[in-house]
Amino acid sequence: MGNLCTCFSRKPVKKRRLATAKRITNHGHQPPPSSLPGSGARWNNRARSSRKDRVEALTQEEAAAAAAAILLRRHQQNGEPASFDRSASLRYPSLGPKKQAPLPRSSSSRARSLTDPLLQPHQLVNQDIKIDDLETDHFVLVHGGGFGAWCWYKTIALLEEGGFKVTAIDLTGSGIHSFDTNGVTSLSQYVKPLTDFLEKLADGQKVILVGHDFGGACISYAMELLPYKISKAIFVAAAMLTDAQSTLDMFAKQAGTNDLMQQSQIFLYANGNDNPPTAIDLDKSMLRDLLFNRSPAKDVALASVSMRPIPFAPVLEKLSLSNKYGIVRRFYIETSEDNAITLELQESMVKADPPERVFLLRGADHSPFFSKPQGLHKILVEISKIS
C-alpha cells in the first residue's frame, strides 16, 4: 500500500493486523489501493492531507483552550464570577412558581363547538371567589340508569382542576358495584351506596348533589332522608319527580311521542316470564341515537362496553316527598338535543315543581358530561357560587 505500508514495517503486530485487513478486503473482490495504476501517489497524498487536517484541528482546540484560560484569569483578577452562557437548548428551567397545567380537553377529535368552548381556569372559577368562601366545595355525582361513576370522568377532572372535591357514586348493581342488577327490589336498596356515604359525613359537613337521568329520583330520595347533609341539589336532564310520582310515571308522559325510547328497551325476566321484569336493558345498536347523538365516538364506545341493565323495581316505586325534601335548594340543567328525556318533558317537570333556577345547555344530548363537558362544568361551578 505504497509509503503507508512502509511506515508500519517496523511494528510487526500492526503489520499482521494490516495484512488481515487486506485479506478481508480481498474477500470483497476489491483490489487494494496499491494495485491500481497511480494509486500509490494518491494514497500518499490523501494520508498527508489527513494528518494535516488533524494537526490543524488540534491547533484550533489548543487555541480555544488557551482563550478560555485567559478569559477565566481575567474574571478572577477582576473579582467577577466565571460564568459562561450555555446553548439555548441546554438552558435549565426557571426555579420560579410553576405554571398551572392546562385543563383536560374533551376526548372528541372533532372541532370544538362554539357552544362548548375550551375554558381556562380563570374562566371556570371567578378570581374574586375563593373555594374556602363557598358553603361547600364537595360535589357528589350520581349517575343515571344503566350508567356508573365512570360516566363522570371528564366532569371529575374539570372540577378537581378547579380545586373542588369530587365523589362519584356507583349505585347498587351499577358501574363496578358487584351486586346483580336483577336482585335490586327497591329504591332504598338501589340508593344505599349514596345514603351510606351521606350518613358518614362529619357533623355540619354538606355536599352538592348532582343527579343525572334516573339519578334525579335517587337524589330526591336522599334529599327527603338526609336534607341536612345537602347544600344544593342539581338535576341534569334528570327525573325531578313530585310527591307520589314514579320515574315510570314521568316517562309515561312521553309514551306516544318517543318511539326511540320504546324501541331501544329490552325487558329482562330473571324470575321467569310469568313474573314482572327484573331489569331493563338498552339495545346497544341504538345507544348513539338515544343517549349520545352529540357525543364523541370514543365516549359512545366507552358506554357501549360499560353500561349495565337498569333495575326495574326502583323505576316503578313512587316517591314520598315532604317538607324535608323542600328544604334543599334545587337547580335544573336542561339539555336541548336530548332524545331520551326530551326538552319538552324536562320543561314539564320544571313547571310542575319549579326549582330555584333553570339553566339551558344548548347543543347537549342526554349525556352532557360527554357532549358538553366544559359547558356543564361552567354551570356546576356557577351554581356552587350562588349564595
Side-chain angles (χ1 to χ4, degrees):
M1 297 177 63
N3 293 335
L4 185 60
C5 292
T6 305
C7 293
F8 290 101
S9 61
R10 294 181 183 180
K11 300 178 181 179
V13 175
K14 292 187 177 181
K15 182 176 181 180
R16 283 197 297 273
R17 290 178 180 175
L18 186 60
T20 302
K22 186 174 182 179
R23 284 197 299 272
I24 293 173
T25 304
N26 286 340
H27 285 311
H29 303 290
Q30 295 179 355
S34 59
S35 66
L36 299 175
S39 63
R42 287 197 300 273
W43 186 265
N44 191 24
N45 292 336
R46 189 180 305 161
R48 282 199 294 267
S49 175
S50 177
R51 287 197 297 271
K52 182 179 178 181
D53 292 341
R54 288 197 296 271
V55 170
E56 290 178 353
L58 289 173
T59 303
Q60 292 175 357
E61 291 178 1
E62 292 172 356
I70 294 172
L71 182 59
L72 178 61
R73 284 197 299 271
R74 286 183 179 176
H75 278 288
Q76 291 174 342
Q77 291 172 359
N78 296 333
E80 300 174 355
S83 60
F84 299 93
D85 194 19
R86 295 176 178 268
S87 166
S89 62
L90 296 177
R91 293 187 190 276
Y92 291 98
S94 171
L95 297 179
K98 295 182 179 179
K99 294 182 178 179
Q100 189 174 13
L103 290 174
R105 294 176 177 266
S106 165
S107 63
S108 173
S109 59
R110 298 175 298 177
R112 182 172 297 278
S113 168
L114 294 178
T115 61
D116 188 43
L118 182 64
L119 304 175
Q120 298 303 317
H122 70 276
Q123 295 174 293
L124 300 176
V125 182
N126 283 352
Q127 295 179 346
D128 59 339
I129 297 292
K130 295 182 179 179
I131 295 294
D132 295 339
D133 295 334
L134 301 176
E135 181 182 10
T136 179
D137 63 350
H138 192 172
F139 281 90
V140 176
L141 310 178
V142 182
H143 62 81
F147 291 87
W150 52 266
C151 72
W152 297 105
Y153 78 95
K154 294 180 183 179
T155 302
I156 293 171
L158 289 168
L159 286 171
E160 289 182 343
E161 180 70 23
F164 290 93
K165 183 178 180 181
V166 188
T167 302
I169 302 290
D170 271 323
L171 300 176
T172 304
S174 304
I176 61 173
H177 195 283
S178 60
F179 196 83
D180 182 6
T181 304
N182 292 289
V184 179
T185 58
S186 67
L187 184 59
S188 61
Q189 182 185 9
Y190 183 59
V191 183
K192 194 173 187 304
L194 172 61
T195 54
D196 285 350
F197 174 82
L198 294 176
E199 288 174 348
K200 293 177 182 177
L201 292 174
D203 292 342
Q205 185 177 358
K206 293 187 175 184
V207 299
I208 299 174
L209 281 188
V210 181
H212 169 248
D213 185 77
F214 184 36
C218 298
I219 67 173
S220 294
Y221 181 91
M223 292 160 64
E224 175 68 23
L225 187 66
L226 301 163
Y228 54 90
K229 296 287 188 179
I230 305 164
S231 170
K232 299 181 180 79
I234 305 174
F235 295 76
V236 181
M240 189 171 67
L241 309 178
T242 57
D243 181 42
Q245 187 180 29
S246 70
T247 302
L248 185 63
D249 293 336
M250 181 269 295
F251 277 111
K253 292 182 178 180
Q254 63 175 9
T257 60
N258 194 344
D259 293 337
L260 188 61
M261 171 65 78
Q262 295 177 1
Q263 293 171 9
S264 64
Q265 293 176 348
I266 303 173
F267 289 90
L268 305 180
Y269 296 83
N271 297 327
N273 293 336
D274 294 335
N275 294 302
T278 53
I280 307 171
D281 206 356
L282 297 176
D283 188 337
K284 302 295 184 185
S285 67
M286 302 184 70
L287 286 181
R288 175 182 287 278
D289 292 336
L290 180 65
L291 306 175
F292 312 114
N293 48 298
R294 294 296 185 94
S295 297
K298 296 177 183 178
D299 295 322
V300 179
L302 171 64
S304 67
V305 298
S306 304
M307 293 190 71
R308 295 175 63 178
I310 308 163
F312 191 57
V315 176
L316 292 175
E317 189 170 329
K318 297 182 183 295
L319 285 178
S320 178
L321 303 177
S322 67
N323 292 335
K324 293 184 0 180
Y325 165 82
I327 294 174
V328 182
R329 302 171 67 183
R330 289 179 295 120
F331 301 83
Y332 200 98
I333 301 177
E334 298 176 341
T335 45
S336 66
E337 306 301 323
D338 198 322
N339 288 339
I341 302 180
T342 62
L343 182 58
E344 291 75 18
L345 180 55
Q346 295 175 48
E347 291 177 342
S348 71
M349 289 187 287
V350 167
K351 291 178 181 178
D353 190 9
E356 185 173 324
R357 284 187 61 180
V358 178
F359 299 82
L360 175 62
L361 192 51
R362 298 185 183 279
D365 57 22
H366 187 62
S367 306
F369 36 75
F370 289 158
S371 59
K372 296 295 176 185
Q374 297 279 347
L376 174 62
H377 174 76
K378 186 177 180 180
I379 295 176
L380 294 179
V381 172
E382 183 177 348
I383 293 174
S384 74
K385 297 184 298 182
I386 297 175
S387 57

mmCIF file of all heavy atoms in Angstrom, residues 43-56:
data_model
loop_
_atom_site.group_PDB
_atom_site.id
_atom_site.type_symbol
_atom_site.label_atom_id
_atom_site.label_comp_id
_atom_site.label_asym_id
_atom_site.label_seq_id
_atom_site.Cartn_x
_atom_site.Cartn_y
_atom_site.Cartn_z
ATOM 1 N N TRP A 43 -2.816 7.741 -2.669
ATOM 2 C CA TRP A 43 -2.969 7.314 -1.265
ATOM 3 C C TRP A 43 -2.023 8.084 -0.351
ATOM 4 O O TRP A 43 -2.371 8.478 0.751
ATOM 5 C CB TRP A 43 -2.705 5.811 -1.192
ATOM 6 C CG TRP A 43 -2.978 5.257 0.173
ATOM 7 C CD1 TRP A 43 -2.108 5.049 1.175
ATOM 8 C CD2 TRP A 43 -4.243 4.864 0.666
ATOM 9 N NE1 TRP A 43 -2.713 4.546 2.256
ATOM 10 C CE2 TRP A 43 -4.048 4.418 1.981
ATOM 11 C CE3 TRP A 43 -5.537 4.832 0.111
ATOM 12 C CZ2 TRP A 43 -5.088 3.936 2.758
ATOM 13 C CZ3 TRP A 43 -6.547 4.356 0.891
ATOM 14 C CH2 TRP A 43 -6.323 3.927 2.208
ATOM 15 N N ASN A 44 -0.787 8.302 -0.850
ATOM 16 C CA ASN A 44 0.202 9.029 -0.055
ATOM 17 C C ASN A 44 -0.258 10.461 0.178
ATOM 18 O O ASN A 44 -0.174 10.997 1.292
ATOM 19 C CB ASN A 44 1.547 9.006 -0.791
ATOM 20 C CG ASN A 44 2.691 9.510 0.093
ATOM 21 O OD1 ASN A 44 2.592 9.454 1.312
ATOM 22 N ND2 ASN A 44 3.758 9.979 -0.546
ATOM 23 N N ASN A 45 -0.792 11.099 -0.890
ATOM 24 C CA ASN A 45 -1.283 12.470 -0.755
ATOM 25 C C ASN A 45 -2.463 12.548 0.204
ATOM 26 O O ASN A 45 -2.588 13.482 0.987
ATOM 27 C CB ASN A 45 -1.699 13.018 -2.128
ATOM 28 C CG ASN A 45 -0.498 13.216 -3.046
ATOM 29 O OD1 ASN A 45 0.634 13.375 -2.567
ATOM 30 N ND2 ASN A 45 -0.748 13.184 -4.361
ATOM 31 N N ARG A 46 -3.351 11.517 0.124
ATOM 32 C CA ARG A 46 -4.527 11.502 0.994
ATOM 33 C C ARG A 46 -4.110 11.346 2.455
ATOM 34 O O ARG A 46 -4.671 11.956 3.352
ATOM 35 C CB ARG A 46 -5.450 10.347 0.597
ATOM 36 C CG ARG A 46 -6.812 10.374 1.296
ATOM 37 C CD ARG A 46 -7.643 9.204 0.843
ATOM 38 N NE ARG A 46 -7.769 9.189 -0.617
ATOM 39 C CZ ARG A 46 -8.120 8.107 -1.313
ATOM 40 N NH1 ARG A 46 -8.375 6.975 -0.686
ATOM 41 N NH2 ARG A 46 -8.212 8.173 -2.636
ATOM 42 N N ALA A 47 -3.095 10.519 2.734
ATOM 43 C CA ALA A 47 -2.622 10.314 4.103
ATOM 44 C C ALA A 47 -2.027 11.592 4.659
ATOM 45 O O ALA A 47 -2.271 11.975 5.798
ATOM 46 C CB ALA A 47 -1.587 9.187 4.129
ATOM 47 N N ARG A 48 -1.193 12.292 3.825
ATOM 48 C CA ARG A 48 -0.602 13.544 4.292
ATOM 49 C C ARG A 48 -1.682 14.582 4.562
ATOM 50 O O ARG A 48 -1.619 15.339 5.532
ATOM 51 C CB ARG A 48 0.391 14.050 3.248
ATOM 52 C CG ARG A 48 1.736 13.324 3.283
ATOM 53 C CD ARG A 48 2.793 14.157 2.574
ATOM 54 N NE ARG A 48 2.504 14.279 1.158
ATOM 55 C CZ ARG A 48 2.994 13.451 0.225
ATOM 56 N NH1 ARG A 48 3.764 12.441 0.587
ATOM 57 N NH2 ARG A 48 2.692 13.612 -1.023
ATOM 58 N N SER A 49 -2.721 14.619 3.687
ATOM 59 C CA SER A 49 -3.817 15.581 3.873
ATOM 60 C C SER A 49 -4.566 15.295 5.162
ATOM 61 O O SER A 49 -4.933 16.204 5.895
ATOM 62 C CB SER A 49 -4.771 15.502 2.682
ATOM 63 O OG SER A 49 -5.880 16.343 2.899
ATOM 64 N N SER A 50 -4.786 13.991 5.469
ATOM 65 C CA SER A 50 -5.498 13.632 6.699
ATOM 66 C C SER A 50 -4.710 14.048 7.920
ATOM 67 O O SER A 50 -5.254 14.563 8.894
ATOM 68 C CB SER A 50 -5.771 12.124 6.712
ATOM 69 O OG SER A 50 -6.395 11.745 7.910
ATOM 70 N N ARG A 51 -3.352 13.796 7.880
ATOM 71 C CA ARG A 51 -2.525 14.193 9.026
ATOM 72 C C ARG A 51 -2.524 15.702 9.192
ATOM 73 O O ARG A 51 -2.579 16.227 10.302
ATOM 74 C CB ARG A 51 -1.100 13.674 8.825
ATOM 75 C CG ARG A 51 -0.961 12.159 9.022
ATOM 76 C CD ARG A 51 0.493 11.757 9.216
ATOM 77 N NE ARG A 51 1.290 12.065 8.047
ATOM 78 C CZ ARG A 51 1.449 11.217 7.020
ATOM 79 N NH1 ARG A 51 0.854 10.040 7.043
ATOM 80 N NH2 ARG A 51 2.174 11.545 5.979
ATOM 81 N N LYS A 52 -2.525 16.422 8.096
ATOM 82 C CA LYS A 52 -2.539 17.883 8.139
ATOM 83 C C LYS A 52 -3.826 18.406 8.765
ATOM 84 O O LYS A 52 -3.828 19.314 9.586
ATOM 85 C CB LYS A 52 -2.395 18.449 6.721
ATOM 86 C CG LYS A 52 -2.350 19.981 6.678
ATOM 87 C CD LYS A 52 -2.189 20.460 5.255
ATOM 88 C CE LYS A 52 -2.190 21.999 5.206
ATOM 89 N NZ LYS A 52 -2.069 22.472 3.824
ATOM 90 N N ASP A 53 -4.992 17.756 8.424
ATOM 91 C CA ASP A 53 -6.272 18.166 9.000
ATOM 92 C C ASP A 53 -6.297 17.949 10.500
ATOM 93 O O ASP A 53 -6.819 18.760 11.257
ATOM 94 C CB ASP A 53 -7.427 17.384 8.357
ATOM 95 C CG ASP A 53 -7.606 17.775 6.894
ATOM 96 O OD1 ASP A 53 -7.108 18.862 6.526
ATOM 97 O OD2 ASP A 53 -8.250 17.001 6.153
ATOM 98 N N ARG A 54 -5.701 16.795 10.924
ATOM 99 C CA ARG A 54 -5.683 16.522 12.356
ATOM 100 C C ARG A 54 -4.830 17.532 13.106
ATOM 101 O O ARG A 54 -5.180 17.971 14.201
ATOM 102 C CB ARG A 54 -5.183 15.095 12.612
ATOM 103 C CG ARG A 54 -6.171 13.996 12.223
ATOM 104 C CD ARG A 54 -5.820 12.670 12.869
ATOM 105 N NE ARG A 54 -4.512 12.163 12.407
ATOM 106 C CZ ARG A 54 -4.364 11.398 11.335
ATOM 107 N NH1 ARG A 54 -5.407 11.063 10.614
ATOM 108 N NH2 ARG A 54 -3.168 10.971 10.984
ATOM 109 N N VAL A 55 -3.705 17.894 12.521
ATOM 110 C CA VAL A 55 -2.820 18.887 13.156
ATOM 111 C C VAL A 55 -3.548 20.217 13.285
ATOM 112 O O VAL A 55 -3.516 20.882 14.321
ATOM 113 C CB VAL A 55 -1.520 19.047 12.356
ATOM 114 C CG1 VAL A 55 -0.722 20.242 12.875
ATOM 115 C CG2 VAL A 55 -0.697 17.777 12.456
ATOM 116 N N GLU A 56 -4.277 20.616 12.195
ATOM 117 C CA GLU A 56 -4.999 21.885 12.238
ATOM 118 C C GLU A 56 -6.110 21.849 13.273
ATOM 119 O O GLU A 56 -6.363 22.814 13.987
ATOM 120 C CB GLU A 56 -5.586 22.191 10.855
ATOM 121 C CG GLU A 56 -4.519 22.541 9.822
ATOM 122 C CD GLU A 56 -5.127 22.798 8.459
ATOM 123 O OE1 GLU A 56 -6.353 22.569 8.335
ATOM 124 O OE2 GLU A 56 -4.410 23.211 7.545
#
